[in-house]
RNA sequence: GUGGAUGUAGCUCAGUUGGCAGAGCGCUUGGUUGUGGCCCAAGUGGUCGUGGGUUCAAGUCCCAUCAUUCACCCCA
């Protein structure tokens, strides 16, 4: 270690940026509460096997992006690269299904993946998300999607669009992959190298390729997965669409939206930020009816989404949605010297106890400097405290926003501050 | 893991054919013996990412290295 600095791909949330996180978090809590979701918090590290089994051993995340290490007992542990597996583990471990037939959960926390950083992608990043565990019905999918959209609307974000698709049940998907392979076989030579490699593995990934030639071939010759679903899958998808239509959520049906982690079944969806760079997925999710069973839990259907905090902040910054928020300080006490400070200290403490936000000068600066500082901090009221004020047990409360001043007895101060304060007693 | 771009003051950036390190903003102080903003003035602040090399002389040219960043891969 030469210079002390953050690890590649990690960032400090600086004191003058943290308000952005707090604003988003408070809106999230309100939205989740309105939809009756409960928060779940799980540890940031888990046994490696959880992710290997839950996410899929051959997925990129597990095979090359995890922070895995051995503890002193020789156990292989991993910093969580995603949260759905952890929530599923918690569900199984604590037998949630014994408590109630349906659980609606939300989470927010840091995740870790060892990738090359770029715009909208860090090695430590944060996701919030929800999981509805227990319902196989399309109304659960609809609620999850509608809730995701609600979050972005509630935050005032405009430049995004919802993409939905269905990749069907396991059987329908296997069937479709054979059909796709057969349809593309004659055009195989025109595909790029990676696509030719994937041809015999997960052929669905060919939809993701950004090579223009591959895109042309897929568009011309690949049959749509929606045409090859089982009748039950189709019914589920149509019901979802009806629900979305009923609540006025516009969406794009995107047959190429086949990605995601190994555990998805039927519904997949994504919310794309239309003003972002290459990393434009604000939110991704879908149904995962098999995950909990695959982790040796009870056969339990589930649907959810995960959304990136950092990308959301990028998108909101691009739309100028973070106003310069003041700290809402009620009063700035500017003592003329240390003796005056000592004498007003009990008053300051008493006001803070009642919940007023009071800034007290700690640098022994000049009156002019203190006033300047108070102005910079957008404090509502400021009081210079010298010998006169101590003798009369009153102070001139100067309203920095209205530019007037009124003499106030010490025990009247609260009443004046109440005109503008948003205090809550502590 | 692959490819491109960029590293100069706290921030955003100038810096000419190689010739004494700059601006704006910010911050501090002063212009008022106890009163902010606007204005004016002064001040603070840089091992020029790091290590080698070429040269009388390197922020500038060469090599290496580290970091940041954008894109690929993949994903939130």
């Amino acid at each position: 270690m030469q210079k002390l600095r953050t690890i590649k791909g990690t960032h400090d949330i600086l004191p003058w940026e943290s308000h952005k996180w707090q604003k988003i978090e408070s809106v999230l809590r309100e939205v989740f509460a309105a939809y009756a979701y409960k928060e779940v918090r799980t540890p940031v590290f888990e046994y490696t096997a959880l992710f290997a089994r839950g996410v899929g051993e051959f997925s990129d995340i597990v095979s090359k992006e995890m922070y895995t290490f051995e503890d002193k007992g020789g156990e292989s542990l991993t910093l969580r690269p995603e949260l759905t597996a952890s929530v599923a583990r918690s569900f199984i471990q604590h037998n949630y299904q014994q408590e109630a037939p349906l659980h609606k959960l939300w989470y927010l926390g840091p995740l870790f993946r060892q990738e090359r950083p770029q715009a909208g992608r860090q090695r430590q990043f944060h996701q919030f998300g929800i999981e509805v565990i227990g319902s196989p019905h399309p109304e659960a999918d609809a609620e999850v999607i509608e809730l995701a959209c609600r979050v972005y609307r509630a935050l005032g974000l405009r430049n995004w669009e919802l993409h939905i698709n269905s990749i069907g049940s396991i059987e329908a998907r296997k069937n479709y992959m054979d059909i796709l392979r057969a349809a593309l076989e004659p055009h195989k030579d025109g595909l790029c190298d990676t696509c030719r490699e994937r041809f015999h593995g997960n052929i669905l990934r060919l939809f993701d390729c950004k090579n223009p030639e591959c895109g042309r071939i897929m568009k011309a010759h690949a049959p749509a997965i929606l045409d090859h679903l089982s009748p039950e899958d189709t019914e589920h998808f149509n019901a979802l669409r009806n629900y979305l239509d009923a609540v006025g959520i516009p969406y794009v049906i995107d047959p190429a939206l086949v990605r995601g982690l190994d555990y998805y079944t039927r519904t997949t969806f994504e919310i794309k930020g239309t003003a972002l760079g290459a990393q434009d997925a604000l939110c991704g999710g879908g149904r995962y009816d098999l995950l909990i069973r695959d982790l040796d839990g009870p056969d339990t259907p589930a649907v959810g989404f995960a959304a990136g905090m950092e990308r959301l902040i990028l998108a909101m910054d691009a739309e100028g949605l973070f106003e310069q928020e003041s700290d809402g300080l009620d009063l700035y006490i500017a003592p003329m010297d240390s003796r005056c400070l000592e004498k007003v200290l009990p008053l300051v403490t008493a006001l803070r106890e009642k919940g007023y936000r009071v800034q007290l000068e700690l640098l022994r600066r000049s009156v002019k400097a203190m006033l300047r500082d108070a102005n910079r901090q957008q404090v509502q009221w400021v009081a210079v405290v010298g010998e006169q004020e101590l003798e009369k047990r009153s102070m001139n409360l100067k309203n920095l926003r209205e530019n007037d001043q009124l003499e106030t007895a010490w025990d009247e101060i609260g009443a004046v501050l109440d005109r503008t304060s948003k205090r809550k007693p502590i």
Side-chain angles (χ1 to χ4, degrees):
Chain A
M1 192 198 305
Q2 313 92 331
K3 286 182 183 172
L4 292 174
R5 52 161 301 118
T6 50
I7 294 165
K8 181 198 282 281
T10 69
H11 294 284
D12 295 323
I13 298 166
L14 298 170
W16 46 89
E17 294 173 339
S18 53
H19 71 96
K20 298 178 180 178
W21 289 73
Q22 290 166 356
K23 176 180 174 176
I24 293 171
E25 287 166 13
S26 86
V27 170
L28 289 177
R29 280 171 212 281
E30 284 173 31
V31 173
F32 295 146
Y35 286 73
Y37 284 64
K38 289 193 194 315
E39 183 180 10
V40 56
R41 303 189 193 192
T42 62
V44 291
F45 60 153
E46 299 263 7
Y47 289 118
T48 302
L50 171 63
F51 303 113
R53 289 178 57 194
V55 182
E57 209 170 332
F58 302 107
S59 67
D60 282 22
I61 289 179
V62 172
S63 62
K64 55 188 197 194
E65 295 173 2
M66 294 204 306
Y67 281 100
T68 296
F69 59 96
E70 280 192 9
D71 71 2
K72 288 180 181 171
E75 286 285 355
S76 181
L77 308 180
T78 294
L79 298 182
R80 62 188 183 193
E82 60 111 51
L83 263 160
T84 299
S86 295
V87 172
R89 191 227 76 228
S90 179
F91 178 92
I92 296 164
Q93 179 177 337
H94 300 287
N95 295 305
Y96 288 23
Q97 77 283 357
Q98 302 290 353
E99 300 285 333
L102 182 72
H103 290 269
K104 304 206 297 183
L105 308 170
W106 71 270
Y107 56 75
L108 167 65
L111 307 181
F112 307 85
R113 292 182 199 169
Q114 189 158 192
E115 303 177 89
R116 278 286 269 275
Q118 69 184 82
R121 186 169 66 200
Q122 287 82 43
R123 290 186 169 185
Q124 174 175 345
F125 61 106
H126 298 75
Q127 285 185 354
F128 61 88
I130 65 171
E131 316 287 357
V132 174
I133 306 177
S135 172
H137 302 302
E139 49 267 44
D141 307 49
E143 180 172 294
V144 165
I145 293 173
E146 200 261 321
L147 170 41
C149 295
R150 174 71 54 200
V151 166
Y152 297 109
R153 285 186 179 178
L155 288 166
L157 199 69
R158 305 183 69 84
N159 296 320
W160 54 272
E161 59 186 29
L162 169 65
H163 291 234
I164 64 169
N165 191 29
S166 175
I167 57 174
S169 53
I170 286 281
E171 306 75 42
R173 188 150 75 246
K174 278 198 177 121
N175 188 31
Y176 168 71
M177 284 165 72
D178 290 337
I179 293 169
L180 184 60
R181 211 166 272 128
L184 292 177
E185 182 70 45
H187 311 283
K188 201 174 146 190
D189 293 341
L191 296 169
C192 71
D193 294 346
T194 41
C195 283
R196 279 208 299 279
E197 270 175 41
R198 286 171 173 169
F199 192 85
H200 295 290
N202 189 350
I203 192 169
L204 292 180
R205 294 246 184 250
L206 299 220
F207 282 108
D208 297 337
C209 187
K210 286 172 186 167
N211 181 310
E213 182 56 27
C214 296
R216 224 173 353 257
I217 291 173
M218 294 300 287
K219 206 157 198 174
H221 304 289
I225 192 165
L226 290 176
D227 297 334
H228 296 274
L229 300 179
S230 70
E232 295 78 16
D233 292 340
T234 303
E235 192 186 341
H236 185 96
F237 189 60
N238 288 338
L240 167 63
R241 291 181 55 187
N242 286 338
Y243 290 133
L244 292 177
D245 292 339
V247 290
I249 301 274
Y251 54 84
V252 178
I253 293 180
D254 184 353
L257 183 56
V258 293
R259 2 182 227 164
L261 312 176
D262 289 2
Y263 48 64
Y264 284 120
T265 50
R266 289 190 167 165
T267 308
T268 59
F269 73 96
E270 188 168 302
I271 293 176
K272 289 178 189 290
T274 51
L276 291 179
Q279 308 302 324
D280 65 349
L282 283 171
C283 171
R287 178 165 280 283
Y288 52 97
D289 289 343
L290 303 174
L291 174 64
I292 292 174
R293 192 195 67 191
D294 286 350
L295 290 175
D296 299 331
D299 199 348
T300 311
V303 53
F305 73 74
M309 282 289 280
E310 284 83 357
R311 288 181 190 180
L312 173 56
I313 289 172
L314 284 178
M316 290 180 66
D317 271 330
E319 296 188 27
L321 294 176
F322 296 110
E323 295 173 18
Q324 285 200 338
E325 277 174 54
S326 82
D327 297 325
L329 293 177
D330 296 315
L331 177 63
Y332 189 110
I333 295 286
M336 306 267 312
D337 55 44
S338 56
R339 201 186 84 85
C340 297
L341 182 141
E342 187 184 335
K343 295 288 184 189
V344 282
L345 214 44
L347 174 63
V348 171
T349 306
L351 287 169
R352 285 173 168 168
E353 205 169 32
K354 288 177 185 158
Y356 298 104
R357 299 182 181 185
V358 183
Q359 181 69 288
L360 175 67
E361 164 73 3
L362 299 177
L363 285 174
R364 302 186 175 184
R365 282 177 289 188
S366 68
V367 170
K368 178 182 181 131
M370 290 190 285
L371 266 288
R372 194 164 42 223
D373 189 34
N375 184 64
R376 197 173 15 230
Q377 295 188 48
Q378 299 179 277
V379 183
Q380 180 75 43
W381 300 93
V382 60
V384 175
V385 178
E387 294 295 339
Q388 295 169 30
E389 286 77 8
L390 291 174
E391 258 176 52
K392 287 164 40 184
R393 291 189 71 79
S394 72
M395 29 179 93
N396 278 314
L397 288 184
K398 184 185 176 85
N399 189 334
L400 284 185
R401 302 188 193 169
E402 312 270 319
N403 201 20
D404 61 353
Q405 197 159 302
L406 69 153
E407 188 166 341
T408 313
W410 281 19
D411 40 12
E412 299 296 320
I413 290 173
V416 175
L417 298 187
D418 279 337
R419 296 185 199 168
T420 50
S421 179
K422 295 176 191 160
R423 77 175 170 120
K424 281 183 207 154
I426 51 177

